[in-house]
Coordinates of all heavy atoms in Angstrom, one line a residue:
M155 N -9.3 -2.0 0.0 CA -10.4 -1.3 -0.8 C -9.7 0.0 -1.4 O -9.2 0.8 -0.6 CB -11.6 -1.0 0.1 CG -12.7 -0.1 -0.6 SD -13.4 -0.9 -2.1 CE -14.1 -2.4 -1.4
K156 N -9.9 0.1 -2.6 CA -9.4 1.4 -3.2 C -10.5 2.5 -2.9 O -11.6 2.4 -3.2 CB -9.2 1.2 -4.8 CG -8.1 0.3 -5.1 CD -7.9 0.0 -6.5 CE -6.8 -0.9 -6.8 NZ -6.9 -1.7 -7.9
S157 N -10.0 3.6 -2.4 CA -10.9 4.6 -1.9 C -11.6 5.3 -3.1 O -12.7 5.8 -2.9 CB -10.1 5.7 -1.2 OG -9.2 6.3 -2.0
C158 N -11.1 5.1 -4.3 CA -11.8 5.7 -5.5 C -12.9 4.8 -6.0 O -13.6 5.2 -7.0 CB -10.8 6.0 -6.6 SG -9.9 4.5 -7.1
T159 N -13.1 3.6 -5.5 CA -14.1 2.7 -6.0 C -15.4 2.6 -5.1 O -16.3 1.9 -5.5 CB -13.5 1.3 -6.2 OG1 -13.1 0.8 -4.9 CG2 -12.4 1.3 -7.1
I160 N -15.3 3.4 -4.0 CA -16.6 3.4 -3.2 C -16.9 4.8 -2.7 O -16.0 5.7 -2.7 CB -16.4 2.5 -1.9 CG1 -15.4 3.0 -1.0 CG2 -16.2 1.1 -2.3 CD1 -15.4 2.4 0.4
F161 N -18.1 5.0 -2.5 CA -18.5 6.3 -1.9 C -18.2 6.3 -0.4 O -18.2 5.3 0.3 CB -20.0 6.6 -2.1 CG -20.5 6.7 -3.5 CD1 -21.2 5.7 -4.1 CD2 -20.1 7.8 -4.2 CE1 -21.6 5.9 -5.4 CE2 -20.5 7.9 -5.5 CZ -21.3 7.0 -6.1
A162 N -17.8 7.5 0.1 CA -17.4 7.6 1.6 C -18.6 7.0 2.4 O -18.3 6.3 3.5 CB -17.1 9.0 1.9
V163 N -19.8 7.3 2.1 CA -20.9 6.9 2.9 C -20.9 5.3 3.0 O -21.5 4.8 4.0 CB -22.2 7.4 2.4 CG1 -22.6 6.8 1.1 CG2 -23.3 7.3 3.4
Q164 N -20.4 4.6 2.0 CA -20.4 3.1 2.1 C -19.5 2.7 3.2 O -19.6 1.5 3.6 CB -20.0 2.5 0.7 CG -21.0 2.8 -0.4 CD -20.5 2.4 -1.7 OE1 -19.8 3.1 -2.4 NE2 -20.9 1.1 -2.1
A165 N -18.5 3.5 3.6 CA -17.6 3.1 4.6 C -18.0 3.5 6.0 O -17.4 3.2 7.0 CB -16.2 3.7 4.3
D166 N -19.3 4.0 6.1 CA -19.8 4.5 7.4 C -19.8 3.3 8.3 O -20.4 2.3 8.0 CB -21.2 5.0 7.2 CG -21.7 5.7 8.5 OD1 -20.9 6.2 9.2 OD2 -23.0 5.6 8.7
G167 N -19.2 3.4 9.5 CA -19.2 2.4 10.5 C -18.1 1.4 10.3 O -17.9 0.5 11.2
A168 N -17.4 1.4 9.2 CA -16.3 0.5 9.0 C -15.0 0.9 9.7 O -14.9 2.1 9.9 CB -16.0 0.4 7.4
E169 N -14.1 -0.1 9.9 CA -12.8 0.3 10.4 C -11.9 0.6 9.2 O -11.8 -0.2 8.3 CB -12.3 -0.9 11.2 CG -10.9 -0.5 11.8 CD -10.4 -1.8 12.7 OE1 -11.2 -2.5 13.2 OE2 -9.1 -1.9 12.8
L170 N -11.3 1.7 9.3 CA -10.4 2.1 8.1 C -9.0 2.2 8.6 O -8.7 2.7 9.7 CB -10.8 3.5 7.6 CG -12.3 3.6 7.1 CD1 -12.6 5.1 6.7 CD2 -12.5 2.6 5.9
L171 N -8.1 1.7 7.7 CA -6.6 1.9 8.1 C -6.0 2.6 6.9 O -6.1 2.1 5.7 CB -6.0 0.5 8.3 CG -4.5 0.5 8.5 CD1 -4.1 1.3 9.8 CD2 -4.0 -0.9 8.5
T172 N -5.4 3.8 7.1 CA -4.8 4.5 6.1 C -3.2 4.3 6.3 O -2.8 3.8 7.3 CB -5.1 6.0 6.2 OG1 -4.5 6.5 7.5 CG2 -6.6 6.2 6.1
V173 N -2.4 4.8 5.3 CA -1.0 4.7 5.5 C -0.5 5.4 6.8 O 0.5 5.0 7.4 CB -0.3 5.2 4.2 CG1 -0.3 6.7 4.1 CG2 1.1 4.6 4.1
E174 N -1.2 6.5 7.1 CA -0.7 7.3 8.3 C -1.0 6.4 9.5 O -0.3 6.5 10.5 CB -1.6 8.6 8.4 CG -1.2 9.6 7.4 CD -1.9 9.5 6.1 OE1 -2.8 8.5 6.0 OE2 -1.8 10.2 5.1
G175 N -2.1 5.6 9.5 CA -2.4 4.7 10.6 C -1.4 3.5 10.8 O -1.5 2.9 11.9
L176 N -0.6 3.2 9.9 CA 0.4 2.2 10.0 C 1.5 2.6 11.0 O 2.0 1.7 11.7 CB 1.0 1.8 8.7 CG 0.1 1.1 7.7 CD1 0.8 0.9 6.4 CD2 -0.4 -0.2 8.2
A177 N 1.8 3.8 11.0 CA 2.9 4.2 11.9 C 2.4 4.3 13.3 O 1.2 4.6 13.6 CB 3.4 5.6 11.4
A178 N 3.3 4.1 14.2 CA 3.0 4.3 15.7 C 3.6 5.6 16.1 O 4.7 5.6 16.6 CB 3.6 3.1 16.5
G179 N 2.9 6.6 16.0 CA 3.4 8.0 16.3 C 4.5 8.3 15.3 O 4.3 8.3 14.1
A180 N 5.6 8.6 15.9 CA 6.8 9.0 15.0 C 7.5 7.8 14.4 O 8.4 7.9 13.6 CB 7.7 9.9 15.8
E181 N 7.1 6.6 14.9 CA 7.8 5.4 14.5 C 7.1 4.7 13.3 O 6.0 4.4 13.4 CB 7.8 4.4 15.7 CG 8.7 3.1 15.3 CD 8.8 2.3 16.6 OE1 8.9 2.8 17.7 OE2 8.9 1.0 16.4
L182 N 7.8 4.7 12.2 CA 7.2 4.1 11.0 C 7.0 2.6 11.1 O 7.8 1.9 11.8 CB 8.1 4.4 9.8 CG 8.2 5.9 9.4 CD1 9.2 6.1 8.2 CD2 6.9 6.6 9.1
H183 N 6.0 2.1 10.3 CA 5.8 0.7 10.3 C 7.0 0.1 9.4 O 7.6 0.8 8.6 CB 4.5 0.5 9.4 CG 4.2 -1.0 9.4 ND1 4.7 -1.8 8.4 CD2 3.3 -1.8 10.1 CE1 4.1 -3.0 8.5 NE2 3.3 -3.0 9.6
P184 N 7.4 -1.2 9.7 CA 8.5 -1.8 9.0 C 8.4 -1.6 7.4 O 9.4 -1.5 6.8 CB 8.5 -3.2 9.4 CG 7.9 -3.2 10.8 CD 6.9 -2.1 10.8
L185 N 7.2 -1.7 6.9 CA 7.0 -1.6 5.5 C 7.4 -0.1 5.0 O 8.0 0.0 4.0 CB 5.6 -1.8 5.1 CG 5.2 -3.3 4.7 CD1 3.7 -3.4 4.5 CD2 5.9 -3.7 3.5
Q186 N 6.9 0.8 5.8 CA 7.3 2.2 5.5 C 8.8 2.4 5.6 O 9.4 3.0 4.8 CB 6.6 3.2 6.5 CG 5.0 3.1 6.3 CD 4.3 3.9 7.4 OE1 4.5 3.6 8.6 NE2 3.4 4.7 7.0
E187 N 9.4 1.8 6.7 CA 10.9 1.9 6.8 C 11.5 1.3 5.6 O 12.6 1.8 5.1 CB 11.3 1.2 8.1 CG 11.1 2.0 9.3 CD 12.0 3.2 9.5 OE1 13.0 3.4 8.7 OE2 11.7 4.1 10.4
G188 N 11.0 0.2 5.1 CA 11.6 -0.5 4.0 C 11.6 0.3 2.8 O 12.6 0.3 2.0
F189 N 10.4 1.0 2.6 CA 10.3 1.8 1.4 C 11.4 3.0 1.4 O 11.9 3.3 0.4 CB 8.9 2.4 1.2 CG 8.0 1.5 0.4 CD1 7.6 0.3 0.9 CD2 7.6 2.0 -0.8 CE1 6.8 -0.6 0.1 CE2 6.7 1.2 -1.6 CZ 6.3 -0.1 -1.2
V190 N 11.5 3.5 2.6 CA 12.6 4.6 2.8 C 14.0 4.0 2.5 O 14.7 4.6 1.7 CB 12.4 5.2 4.2 CG1 13.6 6.2 4.4 CG2 11.1 5.9 4.3
E191 N 14.3 2.9 3.2 CA 15.6 2.4 3.0 C 16.0 2.0 1.7 O 17.1 2.1 1.2 CB 15.7 1.1 4.0 CG 15.9 1.5 5.5 CD 16.1 0.2 6.3 OE1 16.6 -0.8 5.8 OE2 15.6 0.2 7.4
H192 N 15.0 1.5 0.9 CA 15.3 0.9 -0.4 C 14.8 1.9 -1.5 O 14.7 1.4 -2.7 CB 14.7 -0.5 -0.5 CG 15.2 -1.5 0.4 ND1 16.5 -2.1 0.2 CD2 14.8 -1.9 1.6 CE1 16.7 -2.8 1.2 NE2 15.7 -2.8 2.1
H193 N 14.6 3.2 -1.2 CA 14.3 4.1 -2.2 C 13.0 3.7 -3.0 O 13.0 4.0 -4.2 CB 15.4 4.4 -3.1 CG 16.7 4.7 -2.4 ND1 16.9 5.9 -1.6 CD2 17.8 4.0 -2.2 CE1 18.1 5.9 -1.0 NE2 18.7 4.7 -1.3
G194 N 12.0 3.1 -2.3 CA 10.8 2.7 -3.0 C 9.7 3.8 -3.0 O 8.7 3.6 -3.6
L195 N 10.0 4.9 -2.4 CA 9.0 6.0 -2.4 C 8.8 6.6 -3.8 O 9.8 6.9 -4.5 CB 9.4 7.0 -1.3 CG 9.5 6.5 0.1 CD1 10.1 7.6 0.9 CD2 8.2 6.1 0.6
Q196 N 7.6 6.8 -4.1 CA 7.3 7.5 -5.3 C 6.4 8.7 -4.9 O 6.8 9.4 -4.0 CB 6.5 6.5 -6.3 CG 7.4 5.4 -6.7 CD 6.8 4.4 -7.8 OE1 7.3 3.4 -8.0 NE2 5.7 4.7 -8.3
C197 N 5.3 9.0 -5.6 CA 4.6 10.2 -5.2 C 3.6 9.9 -4.1 O 3.4 8.8 -3.6 CB 3.9 10.7 -6.4 SG 2.4 9.9 -6.9
G198 N 3.0 11.0 -3.7 CA 2.0 10.9 -2.6 C 0.7 10.3 -2.9 O -0.2 10.0 -2.1
F199 N 0.5 10.0 -4.2 CA -0.8 9.3 -4.7 C -0.5 7.9 -4.7 O -1.4 7.1 -4.1 CB -1.2 9.8 -6.1 CG -1.6 11.2 -6.1 CD1 -0.8 12.2 -6.5 CD2 -2.9 11.5 -5.6 CE1 -1.3 13.5 -6.6 CE2 -3.3 12.8 -5.6 CZ -2.5 13.8 -6.1
C200 N 0.5 7.4 -5.3 CA 0.7 5.9 -5.4 C 1.3 5.2 -4.3 O 1.0 4.1 -3.9 CB 1.3 5.6 -6.7 SG 3.1 6.2 -6.8
T201 N 2.3 5.9 -3.6 CA 3.0 5.2 -2.5 C 2.1 4.8 -1.3 O 2.2 3.6 -0.9 CB 4.1 6.2 -2.0 OG1 5.0 6.5 -3.0 CG2 4.9 5.5 -0.9
P202 N 1.1 5.6 -0.9 CA 0.2 5.1 0.2 C -0.5 3.8 -0.3 O -0.7 2.9 0.5 CB -0.8 6.3 0.4 CG 0.1 7.5 0.0 CD 0.9 7.0 -1.2
G203 N -1.0 3.8 -1.5 CA -1.7 2.7 -2.0 C -0.9 1.5 -2.1 O -1.3 0.3 -1.8
I204 N 0.4 1.6 -2.6 CA 1.3 0.4 -2.6 C 1.6 -0.1 -1.2 O 1.6 -1.3 -1.0 CB 2.6 0.9 -3.3 CG1 2.3 1.2 -4.8 CG2 3.7 -0.2 -3.2 CD1 3.4 1.9 -5.6
I205 N 1.8 0.8 -0.3 CA 2.2 0.4 1.0 C 1.0 -0.3 1.7 O 1.1 -1.4 2.4 CB 2.8 1.5 1.9 CG1 4.1 1.9 1.4 CG2 2.8 1.1 3.4 CD1 4.7 3.1 2.1
T206 N -0.2 0.3 1.6 CA -1.4 -0.3 2.3 C -1.8 -1.6 1.6 O -2.2 -2.5 2.2 CB -2.6 0.7 2.3 OG1 -2.8 1.1 1.0 CG2 -2.3 1.8 3.3
T207 N -1.6 -1.7 0.3 CA -1.8 -3.0 -0.4 C -0.9 -4.0 0.0 O -1.3 -5.2 0.3 CB -1.8 -2.8 -1.9 OG1 -2.7 -1.8 -2.3 CG2 -2.0 -4.1 -2.7
A208 N 0.4 -3.7 0.2 CA 1.4 -4.7 0.6 C 1.1 -5.1 2.1 O 1.3 -6.2 2.4 CB 2.8 -4.0 0.5
H209 N 0.7 -4.1 2.9 CA 0.4 -4.5 4.3 C -0.9 -5.4 4.3 O -0.8 -6.4 5.1 CB 0.0 -3.2 5.0 CG -0.3 -3.4 6.4 ND1 -1.7 -3.6 6.8 CD2 0.4 -3.5 7.5 CE1 -1.7 -3.7 8.2 NE2 -0.4 -3.7 8.6
A210 N -1.9 -5.2 3.5 CA -3.0 -6.1 3.5 C -2.6 -7.5 3.0 O -3.0 -8.5 3.6 CB -4.1 -5.5 2.6
L211 N -1.8 -7.5 2.0 CA -1.3 -8.9 1.5 C -0.5 -9.6 2.6 O -0.8 -10.8 2.9 CB -0.4 -8.7 0.3 CG 0.3 -9.9 -0.2 CD1 -0.6 -11.0 -0.6 CD2 1.4 -9.6 -1.2
L212 N 0.4 -8.9 3.3 CA 1.3 -9.6 4.2 C 0.5 -9.9 5.5 O 0.9 -10.9 6.2 CB 2.5 -8.7 4.5 CG 3.4 -8.6 3.2 CD1 4.6 -7.6 3.5 CD2 4.0 -9.9 2.7
S213 N -0.6 -9.2 5.8 CA -1.4 -9.6 6.9 C -2.1 -10.9 6.7 O -2.3 -11.7 7.6 CB -2.4 -8.5 7.2 OG -1.8 -7.3 7.6
E214 N -2.5 -11.1 5.4 CA -3.2 -12.4 5.1 C -2.3 -13.5 4.7 O -2.5 -14.7 4.8 CB -4.3 -12.1 4.0 CG -5.3 -11.1 4.5 CD -6.3 -10.8 3.4 OE1 -6.3 -11.5 2.4 OE2 -7.1 -9.9 3.6
E215 N -1.2 -13.1 4.0 CA -0.2 -14.1 3.4 C 1.2 -13.7 3.8 O 1.9 -13.1 2.9 CB -0.4 -14.1 1.9 CG -1.7 -14.6 1.4 CD -1.9 -14.5 -0.1 OE1 -0.9 -14.9 -0.8 OE2 -2.9 -14.0 -0.5
P216 N 1.6 -13.9 5.1 CA 2.9 -13.4 5.4 C 4.1 -14.0 4.7 O 5.2 -13.5 4.7 CB 3.0 -13.7 7.0 CG 1.9 -14.7 7.2 CD 0.8 -14.5 6.1
N217 N 3.9 -15.2 4.1 CA 4.9 -15.8 3.4 C 4.8 -15.6 1.8 O 5.3 -16.5 1.1 CB 5.0 -17.3 3.7 CG 5.3 -17.5 5.2 OD1 6.2 -16.8 5.7 ND2 4.6 -18.3 5.8
A218 N 4.0 -14.6 1.4 CA 3.8 -14.4 0.0 C 5.2 -14.2 -0.8 O 6.1 -13.6 -0.3 CB 3.1 -13.2 -0.3
D219 N 5.3 -14.9 -1.9 CA 6.6 -14.8 -2.6 C 6.6 -13.6 -3.5 O 5.6 -13.0 -3.7 CB 6.9 -16.1 -3.4 CG 5.9 -16.5 -4.4 OD1 5.1 -15.6 -4.8 OD2 5.9 -17.6 -4.9
A220 N 7.7 -13.4 -4.2 CA 7.8 -12.2 -5.1 C 6.8 -12.2 -6.2 O 6.2 -11.1 -6.5 CB 9.2 -12.2 -5.7
G221 N 6.4 -13.4 -6.7 CA 5.4 -13.4 -7.8 C 4.0 -13.0 -7.3 O 3.4 -12.3 -8.0
R222 N 3.7 -13.4 -6.1 CA 2.4 -13.1 -5.5 C 2.4 -11.6 -5.2 O 1.4 -10.9 -5.4 CB 2.2 -13.9 -4.2 CG 0.9 -13.6 -3.5 CD -0.3 -14.1 -4.2 NE -1.5 -13.8 -3.4 CZ -2.6 -13.3 -3.9 NH1 -2.7 -13.1 -5.2 NH2 -3.6 -13.1 -3.2
V223 N 3.5 -11.0 -4.7 CA 3.6 -9.6 -4.4 C 3.4 -8.8 -5.7 O 2.6 -7.9 -5.7 CB 4.9 -9.3 -3.7 CG1 5.1 -7.7 -3.6 CG2 5.0 -9.9 -2.4
R224 N 4.0 -9.3 -6.7 CA 3.9 -8.6 -8.0 C 2.4 -8.6 -8.5 O 1.9 -7.6 -9.0 CB 4.8 -9.1 -9.1 CG 6.2 -8.7 -8.9 CD 7.1 -9.1 -10.2 NE 8.5 -8.8 -9.9 CZ 9.3 -9.7 -9.4 NH1 9.0 -10.9 -9.1 NH2 10.6 -9.4 -9.2
E225 N 1.8 -9.8 -8.4 CA 0.5 -10.0 -8.8 C -0.5 -9.0 -8.0 O -1.3 -8.3 -8.7 CB 0.0 -11.5 -8.6 CG -1.5 -11.7 -8.9 CD -1.9 -13.1 -8.5 OE1 -1.0 -13.9 -8.0 OE2 -3.1 -13.5 -8.6
V226 N -0.4 -9.0 -6.7 CA -1.2 -8.2 -5.9 C -1.0 -6.7 -6.2 O -1.9 -5.9 -6.2 CB -1.1 -8.5 -4.4 CG1 -1.8 -7.5 -3.5 CG2 -1.6 -9.9 -4.2
L227 N 0.3 -6.3 -6.3 CA 0.5 -4.9 -6.5 C 0.3 -4.4 -8.0 O 0.3 -3.2 -8.3 CB 2.0 -4.6 -6.2 CG 2.4 -4.7 -4.7 CD1 3.8 -4.3 -4.5 CD2 1.5 -3.7 -3.9
S228 N 0.0 -5.3 -8.9 CA -0.2 -5.0 -10.2 C -1.4 -4.0 -10.5 O -1.5 -3.4 -11.5 CB -0.4 -6.2 -11.1 OG -1.6 -6.9 -10.8
G229 N -2.3 -3.9 -9.5 CA -3.4 -3.0 -9.5 C -3.1 -1.6 -9.2 O -3.9 -0.7 -9.3
N230 N -1.9 -1.4 -8.6 CA -1.4 -0.1 -8.2 C -0.6 0.5 -9.4 O 0.5 0.1 -9.7 CB -0.5 -0.1 -7.0 CG -1.4 -0.6 -5.8 OD1 -1.6 -1.8 -5.7 ND2 -1.7 0.4 -4.9
L231 N -1.3 1.5 -10.1 CA -0.7 1.9 -11.3 C -0.1 3.3 -11.1 O -0.6 4.2 -10.4 CB -1.7 2.1 -12.4 CG -2.5 0.9 -12.7 CD1 -3.6 1.1 -13.7 CD2 -1.6 -0.2 -13.2
C232 N 1.1 3.6 -11.6 CA 1.7 4.9 -11.7 C 1.2 5.6 -13.0 O 1.4 5.1 -14.0 CB 3.3 4.7 -11.8 SG 4.1 6.3 -12.1
R233 N 0.5 6.7 -12.7 CA -0.1 7.3 -13.8 C 0.8 8.4 -14.4 O 0.4 9.1 -15.3 CB -1.5 7.9 -13.5 CG -2.5 6.8 -13.1 CD -3.8 7.4 -12.8 NE -4.7 6.3 -12.3 CZ -5.4 5.5 -13.2 NH1 -5.3 5.7 -14.5 NH2 -6.2 4.6 -12.7
C234 N 1.9 8.7 -13.8 CA 2.7 9.8 -14.2 C 4.0 9.4 -15.0 O 4.4 10.0 -16.0 CB 3.2 10.7 -13.1 SG 4.0 9.8 -11.8
T235 N 4.6 8.3 -14.6 CA 5.8 7.9 -15.3 C 5.8 6.5 -15.9 O 6.7 6.1 -16.6 CB 7.0 8.0 -14.3 OG1 6.8 7.0 -13.3 CG2 7.1 9.3 -13.7
G236 N 4.9 5.7 -15.4 CA 4.8 4.3 -15.9 C 5.7 3.4 -15.1 O 6.0 2.3 -15.6
Y237 N 6.1 3.8 -13.9 CA 6.8 2.8 -13.0 C 6.1 1.5 -13.0 O 4.9 1.4 -12.9 CB 7.0 3.3 -11.6 CG 7.9 4.5 -11.5 CD1 7.5 5.6 -10.8 CD2 9.2 4.4 -11.9 CE1 8.4 6.7 -10.5 CE2 10.1 5.4 -11.7 CZ 9.7 6.6 -11.0 OH 10.5 7.6 -10.8
I238 N 6.8 0.4 -13.0 CA 6.3 -0.9 -12.8 C 6.3 -1.2 -11.3 O 7.3 -1.1 -10.6 CB 7.0 -2.0 -13.5 CG1 7.0 -1.6 -15.0 CG2 6.6 -3.3 -13.2 CD1 7.9 -2.5 -15.9
Ligands
LIG139 FE1 3.0 8.0 -8.1 FE2 3.5 7.9 -10.6 S1 5.0 8.1 -9.0 S2 1.6 7.9 -9.6

């Protein structure tokens, strides 16, 4: 769920997972490690959305191919530089 599309009160009682919640203390989630290793980090606005979207996809479709990943991540827009 994109946080900008719902009111906070609508999430009352829901379980929320943020990008910070992916890490286990100081140990980053493998997706976060991958972004660091492969220089995938962008800014603090889009990177959390990209990582949490990728996490949600891979939780439901662990064998998603590159085309599916591109399709799902297509909703994550870079508003500053136009990164694809
Ligand atoms: Fe994050 Fe452009 S680099 S919105």
Side-chain angles (χ1 to χ4, degrees):
M155 174 60 63
K156 292 177 180 152
S157 61
C158 59
T159 62
I160 65 167
F161 295 111
V163 69
Q164 292 174 279
D166 188 33
E169 182 178 334
L170 303 176
L171 177 63
T172 65
V173 73
E174 291 85 359
L176 289 176
E181 187 174 327
L182 296 178
H183 184 277
L185 270 173
Q186 294 169 309
E187 285 287 350
F189 268 67
V190 171
E191 282 180 31
H192 298 281
H193 309 289
L195 298 171
Q196 294 182 192
C197 77
F199 291 102
C200 63
T201 302
I204 293 169
I205 291 176
T206 53
T207 300
H209 180 267
L211 169 65
L212 295 175
S213 295
E214 294 178 13
E215 300 177 40
N217 297 316
D219 63 15
R222 179 70 176 136
V223 172
R224 283 192 187 92
E225 177 187 356
V226 171
L227 291 181
S228 67
N230 294 76
L231 306 175
C232 170
R233 296 184 183 277
C234 57
T235 66
Y237 285 130
I238 297 174

